[in-house]
Amino acid sequence: MQSPTDTRCYIHLKYMGLEVNGNEVHHCLHGTGMRPLADADGLCVMLCRTCHRALHDKRYHDRDLQVLAQMAWQEHNNKSTADFIARYGKSYL
């Protein structure tokens, strides 16, 4: 995912190659009970206000970030999709 000290907007950087300051934390895995797990596992990115609002209002890039979060978690923890499902309740792959 993104280093906790990186304050650039993840979406601007990844999809447009632009370095825009991000000032809002987005939990890539969200919903009932998942935000605390995403915090604990570091599955958050920084977003600028515009991207964060578009993501929540129109779901732009939401699915991409969920897939990336699952892949990062599995790789970092050397775990399987079944392990991810056991922790988060479903797979995004």
Side-chain angles (χ1 to χ4, degrees):
M1 296 298 331
Q2 188 174 24
S3 164
T5 59
D6 191 348
T7 60
R8 297 174 295 177
C9 175
Y10 186 83
I11 290 174
H12 269 93
L13 190 62
K14 180 172 176 39
Y15 296 99
M16 296 170 253
L18 300 173
E19 293 198 21
V20 173
N21 190 40
N23 56 2
E24 298 185 5
V25 174
H26 173 70
H27 297 83
C28 296
L29 304 177
H30 44 80
T32 306
M34 285 206 261
R35 282 184 181 89
L37 293 176
D39 274 336
D41 293 339
L43 301 179
C44 301
V45 294
M46 292 301 291
L47 299 176
C48 68
R49 184 165 187 75
T50 301
C51 287
H52 203 192
R53 186 169 305 275
L55 191 144
H56 282 288
D57 291 349
K58 298 183 174 87
R59 303 190 63 83
Y60 291 150
H61 304 295
D62 195 32
R63 183 72 171 156
D64 293 343
L65 290 174
Q66 291 167 333
V67 169
L68 289 170
Q70 180 174 346
M71 290 172 30
W73 184 88
Q74 287 182 209
E75 184 177 325
H76 178 76
N77 295 294
N78 196 29
K79 300 286 186 176
S80 68
T81 299
D83 295 322
F84 185 86
I85 292 170
R87 181 151 175 86
Y88 285 97
K90 65 181 185 177
S91 173
Y92 297 96
L93 301 180

